[in-house]
Amino acid sequence: MAKAPILTPQAEDFPRWYQDLINKAELADNGPVRGTMVIRPYAYGLWERMQSEMDARIKKTGTQNAYFPLFIPQSYLTKEAEHVEGFAPELAVVTHGGGKELDEPVVVRPTSETIINEYFSKWVQSHRDLPLLINQWANVVRWELRPRLFLRTTEFLWQEGHTAHATFEDARDFAALIHQDVYGDFMRNILAIDTIPGRKTVKERFAGAINTLTHEAMMGDGKALQMCTSHELGQNFAKAFNTTYLKGEGEREFVWQTSWGSTTRMVGALIMSHGDDSGLRVPPRLAAVQAVVLAIKGDEAVLAKVREIGAQLEAAGVRVVVDDRTDTPFGRRAVDWELKGVPVRIEVGPRDLENGTAMLVRRIAGGKEPVSVDALAALVPGILEEDQALLLQQTRERRLARTVDVTSIEEAVEAAATGFARISWAELGPEGEAKLASEGVTVRCLVAEDGSVPAEDDQPGNVAIVARAY
Amino acid sequence: MAKAPILTPQAEDFPRWYQDLINKAELADNGPVRGTMVIRPYAYGLWERMQSEMDARIKKTGTQNAYFPLFIPQSYLTKEAEHVEGFAPELAVVTHGGGKELDEPVVVRPTSETIINEYFSKWVQSHRDLPLLINQWANVVRWELRPRLFLRTTEFLWQEGHTAHATFEDARDFAALIHQDVYGDFMRNILAIDTIPGRKTVKERFAGAINTLTHEAMMGDGKALQMCTSHELGQNFAKAFNTTYLKGEGEREFVWQTSWGSTTRMVGALIMSHGDDSGLRVPPRLAAVQAVVLAIKGDEAVLAKVREIGAQLEAAGVRVVVDDRTDTPFGRRAVDWELKGVPVRIEVGPRDLENGTAMLVRRIAGGKEPVSVDALAALVPGILEEDQALLLQQTRERRLARTVDVTSIEEAVEAAATGFARISWAELGPEGEAKLASEGVTVRCLVAEDGSVPAEDDQPGNVAIVARAY
Ligand SMILES: [Zn+2]
Ligand SMILES: [Zn+2]
């Protein structure tokens, strides 16, 4: 049965498909102030699940949550020279409070390194206070000239971790631990998104960091998206805020620090990694709703059956919703669940009752087939695990298929029109990087020959991953 | 063994005791911008547990979480006349963004009725879209001239619920449901704080509401604290933002709305309800740490034993921490756990090992006694439930002991020096309320003769609860 497409097909216009999907699946709206965003319940539910999975991994590292103020005195930002240069153009500034002009304007936090260091310098005295491992879940503001829902918004939600350590090595290892065991594990095992873990070039580093680790993913259109970053800050902020600890007999040493963040941008990455022309596809482990049981018609017997199936699935550990809103046409509801990407649909009508079956529709692997109702509870958990693995595999296969090894800047630019290019960093270097930038192509990260994260930019054999990026 | 008090005694100076406790238990610091607050990990952990318990109750009502922007165009605030009058003096205003002066200044949300109604008016079309039940966890800003940590801060964290309904009755019933089943249940069963559920007078109502429900609690010094509020907004915001639904054939009707909130102020209420001269006392059901097992010395045998006890308690469902930081003196650690109000302490030293016992110290009921190690896992869960009940009972007994029935304004003012007064609302009325206000005493709420929440201010027999308040 042919029908008019609900979304602009991806192949026709990927950005428009993205916007269509966000509208039709009721994920978000533009806010009234330029670049701000209303996160609607279904998308916020995805973010809540991301938060809960990330938070558990963060806590496992010994990090504790806290909360620092939204408002930062403007003077704090200027204490670390590169930091203020990086953020000044994006700041929102409060000049009036309580009906009066403020003596000193305050900025709405674009990130919290400065204000957190102000307190770390009070809290850290002896080596016993280290490591100090803090995370916060918060909103931040960076004025966006070309906003795009979830991907670049003036206000976004995120977690930002901030830690202080006794030595360079401790800080380096902790930044790497977060990069691997928190972010890497979460992306792979929950978001089902294949990423390239790597190291940012000097040009792409966080303002004030000595090293930035990243996970770069390939979206459905072949462009790159930076999923999260984990920074080594060295002693830059410690020196700006005089954060020291007593090392031995009377000797004070500046602490070594890290910061690391991931944002609501991951919702955009989820859409562009797994979405297709019918809508979103949510990885089962992330999904707040893993299966929906739909009553096709409002017969008492059908309603009783969908509730029974719902109860069985719930007992089998499946996060299930029963859709018995039969005053809304079945077709409309089916399309809506498809748009929202719920992994498994189980549809029950009067005819199914006679046969003792239900229609099992798989959103991720595709396909539909009648299944004996008695078999569902045993079947669905396995399907969900299969589909989780399939999504990860699909993102990995896409990346491999659309990545080419190149040896010149021209080839790199050409490859970046449809995917990623790999080029020797020794050959490309900062000069080549500048040339790529003039073509709108960036070095997403450096990886070592064996695929690991290099300890230094100029480690022999380093490969630059080059792409257009969101 | 007499020792110098760690905190200013409550009886000597209650506000100073409060401030001392917040410092010594490392709950919060003042932020750099006037009235802002840094919530330190232990206090943030209390807030996280409050969030999780509240969120579960909120979701049980069918309400979904979402997120609306921090920045609200100034013009939105002016759409509802009483609302802007109430909030204008407290606003923080952003005038510059991205390095430029903004065309229209934006306010940092003091509450979100206006911006949420802007979207409700788009999302609600037919009666099928109702009820629309939304909650958000967010930060808000209200410029504070006399800030106090947790109680009145320029920025605070809260949840704000916003709902739209087809009829006056639906909205009224939903505001009451939140008041009872979310807030009332949470305060009583988790915070262990006895409250008076009541109705605010016209003078004390939320700016833009037609009715405000409240829970009022008595703090340790006899003053009142408003724990949370649940408002009926009538059609005021619906008319200002043209939020209507299709009622029958072509007939559009304005929706009826509610909003309701509770904030980090509850952390302050927790401190002032249950704290004593030794520190905080955390209700076991709220506590992230219900029991701590302390190694008095660093002997291998002692360390092995505390870990064993920790594992046993964990297996018994107790949220337990093992404190084996024996490089810090035992006395200092014991005082710290006492300050932080962890309900149960289990102390193990070399001599205890010989006897097969541990010292069980109860922070809430008080007292310490040696207990056979083998009995601990069976004993502690019961102690925690006992202590939970005891805290609630203590707040209730304090309220009853410090509440008096009065018949004149003079008596009411006198009673408010040490607690609550009850006075007939028919006799007091708005004029008496104004007189009380000039003495710094307010009507906290109205309650019906039988203790229930009155449906109207002027219901015969209504009693005004009168007090000084935080
Ligand atoms: Zn001015
Ligand atoms: Zn200007």
Side-chain angles (χ1 to χ4, degrees), chain A residues 80 82 168 171-172 199-202 205-213 230-237 256-257 455 457:
Chain A
E80 212 287 333
E82 286 182 32
F168 165 81
R172 179 198 60 196
R199 174 186 175 92
K200 287 285 186 189
T201 60
V202 173
R205 252 182 219 158
F206 176 73
I210 62 168
N211 184 29
T212 291
L213 304 173
S230 181
H231 315 292
E232 293 173 59
L233 302 177
Q235 296 178 310
N236 290 341
F237 287 91
W256 295 84
Q257 296 186 271
D457 282 19

Side-chain angles (χ1 to χ4, degrees), chain A residues 113-261:
Chain A
E113 277 75 9
T114 60
I115 194 166
I116 287 184
N117 260 280
E118 176 78 8
Y119 289 87
F120 276 21
S121 70
K122 291 175 192 165
W123 298 345
V124 174
Q125 296 301 333
S126 101
H127 66 93
R128 267 187 208 146
D129 300 321
L130 298 175
L132 180 56
L133 310 174
I134 298 287
N135 177 64
Q136 82 173 354
W137 292 95
N139 54 345
V140 285
V141 169
R142 299 176 187 176
W143 214 265
E144 270 299 342
L145 297 178
R146 288 176 304 159
R148 200 155 188 185
L149 289 171
F150 293 115
L151 301 176
R152 279 191 313 275
T153 49
T154 291
E155 180 191 10
F156 55 89
L157 305 183
W158 77 345
Q159 61 66 219
E160 52 178 320
H162 297 269
T163 70
H165 306 262
T167 67
F168 165 81
E169 290 76 14
D170 287 355
R172 179 198 60 196
D173 294 349
F174 197 79
L177 176 80
I178 294 292
H179 185 238
Q180 274 181 41
D181 288 8
V182 176
Y183 295 145
D185 186 72
F186 170 73
M187 307 280 165
R188 199 168 45 250
N189 291 319
I190 305 297
L191 289 190
I193 296 180
D194 165 73
T195 66
I196 303 179
R199 174 186 175 92
K200 287 285 186 189
T201 60
V202 173
K203 181 172 184 293
E204 298 286 333
R205 252 182 219 158
F206 176 73
I210 62 168
N211 184 29
T212 291
L213 304 173
T214 181
H215 282 277
E216 300 287 327
M218 183 186 283
M219 301 295 101
D221 59 352
K223 284 172 80 173
L225 188 139
Q226 173 183 304
M227 299 292 290
C228 59
T229 46
S230 181
H231 315 292
E232 293 173 59
L233 302 177
Q235 296 178 310
N236 290 341
F237 287 91
K239 285 176 180 168
F241 286 85
N242 197 30
T243 313
T244 64
Y245 72 99
L246 203 58
K247 201 178 181 181
E249 288 100 47
E251 192 196 347
R252 300 203 74 88
E253 158 97 338
F254 290 108
V255 298
W256 295 84
Q257 296 186 271
T258 80
S259 71
W260 27 281

Side-chain angles (χ1 to χ4, degrees), chain A residues 73-100:
Chain A
Q74 210 162 31
S75 57
Y76 281 28
L77 271 286
T78 62
K79 289 196 185 181
E80 212 287 333
E82 286 182 32
H83 193 65
V84 68
E85 197 184 321
F87 284 104
E90 304 179 347
L91 297 177
V93 185
V94 176
T95 54
H96 291 72
K100 290 192 181 156

Side-chain angles (χ1 to χ4, degrees), chain B residues 196-264:
Chain B
I196 304 178
R199 174 186 175 92
K200 287 285 185 190
T201 61
V202 173
K203 180 172 183 295
E204 298 286 332
R205 251 182 219 159
F206 176 73
I210 62 168
N211 185 28
T212 291
L213 304 172
T214 180
H215 282 276
E216 300 287 326
M218 183 186 283
M219 300 296 100
D221 60 352
K223 285 172 80 173
L225 189 139
Q226 174 183 304
M227 299 293 289
C228 58
T229 46
S230 182
H231 315 292
E232 294 174 58
L233 302 177
Q235 296 178 310
N236 289 342
F237 288 90
K239 285 177 181 167
F241 286 84
N242 197 29
T243 313
T244 62
Y245 72 99
L246 202 59
K247 200 176 181 181
E249 288 101 46
E251 191 196 347
R252 299 203 75 86
E253 157 96 340
F254 290 108
V255 298
W256 295 84
Q257 296 187 271
T258 79
S259 71
W260 27 280
S262 62
T263 79
T264 35

